[in-house]
Amino acid sequence: MSIEADEVKKKSNKKRLDKFFGKDKANAIIECLEDCVNQGKTGSELKECVKECLMTQKGFDERSADDSVTIMAFITVG
Amino acid sequence: MNTKILDILLIFPSGGDVYHTNFNHHLGTAYIVAYLREHGFLTEQFISNKPYNIKECVKTILQYKPKVIGFSVYESNFMQSVLISNCLKESNPKCIIIFGGPTPTVQSEQILKSISSVDICVRQEGEETILKILTELASVNFNLKQVDLLEIKGITFRDKDRIIINPDCNVLYMNRDIKNYIDRYPSPYISNIIPISKAFPTGIITARGCNQNCTYCNCAVLSKKNIYFHSIERVIGELSLISKLKKFSQPIPIYDDTFTIIPSRTKRICKAIIESDIKIPLLCITRCDKLDEELLDLMKLAGFVSIGFSLESAVPRVLRAIGKVRSVDVGDTLNYEKEIEFIQKLKYMTHYAKKIGMFPVFVSIMIGLPGETPQDAKKTLNLINQLEIDYYTHNILHIFKGTPLYKNHRRYGYKLTPMGYNNQIILRNNFPFNIDEIGLAKKSTKERNSKVMDYNILNILSLKCNQSNNKSFFNNIIINQDVIEPSLVKWMQQVLAINGIIVHIYSNKDIFLKLHTKNEMTLYNEYSPTNVYECYYWENSGNIKRLISGRMLSYGEEAGLSISLRNTNLVLEEYYKGYDTDFFIGVDRNKTDTDSFLKLLHVISKSEDSFNYLLERNVLPQFQSLCRWTMNQANCEDMETAIIENDNTVRICWYSEPLGKVGMSFFDIKRNLTERKRNTIKRRRCHQCEQKNLCQKCIFPFPLSAKEYCEYKITQKTNESANLINTFYVLKDFLYKPINPYDF
């Protein structure tokens, strides 16, 4: 089995991003990624760059994985 | 960095999931900081997003030059707190160490008996007691020996070989008749201890304590069944300040044990929020029997976008046994009328919350409750499947010391055993029935969290590098041996990041089942620097070797992944055919594998637009040998992950020879690696090569010989395409790591 397996099997990166985030957000993610690659960023710097770009240029909120798991931990304990 | 010498530094080590390698804001700790500052003490909370190992963490903490260090200790961060405390005391024996929080409140004597670095345990609410300790210490120039600790209520301390338990402080109880007594404790937000930008996920409280009768819960135990309220003006003042943030990525949690415990008060808060025109998305968890449609409508108007209800069980008999709805001692114990009503109310209130547009609406349950049978647990899951909720949390009962259930646990057939001789604080619970047989209902948070974890593991097994920069410890350790010896845990205390990830790979399912519990107990007994311990076992199926997540045995197929390792050549064939290869790892076992991978790099580089070429195709599998074709993106440079083999040897690459042994320092292993690299470069005469600045100079290029590797690197330009593949794993991150919890 795989993550979100059946629904997204055999679909491209782009289609999967569209499905998860909607077309607009998916396009924003891809644009930021391409920008950062063109700036020569790699590894952890690349990820930071994409996040920064999404927040500053594309109006994304800082919805980080850290936050999501923090609240999940809260809910679990509660 | 504060250059002043601090009177006290408070620390909340986060306790153990994969995202928490740092030291976050903590509401309870911030309350104490605010109160101590108000009384003139130089106080800080240690906040840091950096990953540390124990030694580096202690080095940073000591830069604050604190005279006293206080820890907020829960069971979840107990091991990390002890390791940091021990190392602090070793580095600076004069430093006074205090443990406070829920675990020291109920286990202060045991902590002081077994952890010699801890000087004092503070029980229950910390503000007044720590203020008293600091005041006394300050009067004798922080010389602990000169303080008459017997005079300080609410503490347990060591007097030579004796442990002295002073009477409780009880300050809140004694002042219970003073309205809103806890308003005397300054708001951590208004005092600027917690920046409003951190209101999510730090949250607020409008009241402390719980007066309910749940036998498994320690909230009522800690507050002795009392609730102490902030005034509505204080709540509104805090929310008004937070509302200045204007933009909220997530709802702000209200962490009261039961926010709607007095519905009329909740209504007043909601009305005040509306009248003050405060616009904040809010979230709370509450009891379904403490609110109705009218209150929920009002809460929605006041900004509550999300609500959670605690159900625990859908079986009236079980609810009666745990005192969820009413005290177990009250009324006819065989009459379940009120419990049936409670379940009906939960069904209705979840439906109603969804009807008025709340999102997410969630429910928490617990498996393994007193008197529960496997059939009862399945009934609870059946109800969950019928509810109109967005998700549910699937908890397993943990019996805390001090709770009514702890006192009666034997009556219900539980067997509690300490994790070991050295760690009597954390208890392992053996249930009367096999809780692993129960499985999960739909929409479990565990399912999604497990998948996120498995995705991380996939990256670790592929030796991906994420956080470089001259570190002096590993972020992850892969244990490729069946038994965890105490010496391995001791070594991990030195070389592994606090809350780093341990991936344990067992030889097969039988060995996993036989040794897992013992290994886990060794980790707790010897004090692992992390609770993140993920187990997998090998399963062979034809030419595919699969790593199966141990979680799948507990929670069924939905709670884990099987990660398939297969020849790169065969994985790529599937990729080209458009099959799903997300959870495959391509392994180079022969030259055909290497050739097929280089062909992929060639195809990417020759395509008109390489970025779009990869974008329009399937998500790529992982590759164990990708790093050798990149530049500066290899584990042999960043040393993020170590692999421990059966003979206790340490490797940095799946293809490498041992570079050290368990017990060696991180720097000795690094030195061996550097030496090895230097010799390889010299032997291959890399300095004369025209590709010298573009080559990873892989020292373990199996299945290629060194000569073949050099030839490939000279004739084929691999860096750009290989780096681009790495880039596309960022897209994979976006796909599999939820950036919004409500995607759960």
Side-chain angles (χ1 to χ4, degrees), chain B residues 9 33 62 109 117 119 154 163 240 273 293 302 355 367 373 390 418 471 473 501 573 580 609 633 654 682:
Chain B
L9 179 70
V33 173
L62 288 176
E109 188 179 5
S117 61
D119 297 300
I163 306 296
S240 293
I273 292 173
E293 297 99 315
K355 190 179 155 191
I367 300 295
T373 63
D390 299 296
K471 285 204 319 275
F473 50 88
I501 301 178
E573 263 181 33
D580 191 355
D609 181 340
Q633 293 185 39
W654 290 108
K682 198 172 163 190

Side-chain angles (χ1 to χ4, degrees), chain B residues 175-325:
Chain B
N175 293 291
R176 65 190 179 283
D177 294 334
I178 301 175
K179 203 178 171 194
N180 308 130
Y181 181 79
I182 60 169
D183 277 0
R184 65 194 265 119
Y185 303 132
S187 157
Y189 291 96
I190 294 168
S191 316
N192 206 18
I193 309 295
I194 305 172
I196 57 170
S197 61
K198 298 292 177 191
F200 178 85
T202 317
I204 67 158
I205 51 165
T206 78
R208 295 185 187 187
C210 179
N211 61 359
Q212 297 296 298
N213 301 296
C214 311
T215 59
Y216 54 85
C217 181
N218 60 8
C219 295
V221 172
L222 296 173
S223 69
K224 298 188 176 176
K225 283 202 177 178
N226 289 292
I227 306 178
Y228 308 99
F229 298 101
H230 277 301
S231 64
I232 291 175
E233 296 72 37
R234 159 68 179 262
V235 175
I236 294 300
E238 207 164 44
L239 289 175
S240 293
L241 178 70
I242 293 170
S243 72
K244 290 187 178 152
L245 194 59
K246 297 227 178 327
K247 212 171 165 187
F248 295 89
S249 59
Q250 303 291 347
I252 305 303
I254 293 185
Y255 283 108
D256 294 12
D257 291 325
T258 303
F259 176 60
T260 62
I261 193 78
I262 298 179
S264 57
R265 175 180 179 266
T266 312
K267 274 183 195 168
R268 288 202 304 277
I269 292 177
C270 290
K271 281 178 184 164
I273 292 173
I274 296 164
E275 279 162 16
S276 310
D277 202 27
I278 292 170
K279 308 276 185 216
I280 304 180
L282 295 164
L283 171 157
C284 75
I285 294 178
T286 194
R287 295 172 61 99
C288 62
D289 57 349
K290 296 289 178 193
L291 80 172
D292 54 18
E293 297 99 315
E294 188 195 344
L295 177 54
L296 207 53
D297 284 337
L298 193 61
M299 286 170 71
K300 180 84 189 336
L301 280 175
F304 282 84
V305 294
S306 170
I307 191 160
F309 298 99
S310 53
L311 166 66
E312 319 315 353
S313 172
V315 177
R317 175 176 43 79
V318 177
L319 288 179
R320 187 76 177 104
I322 60 174
K324 179 77 190 175
V325 184

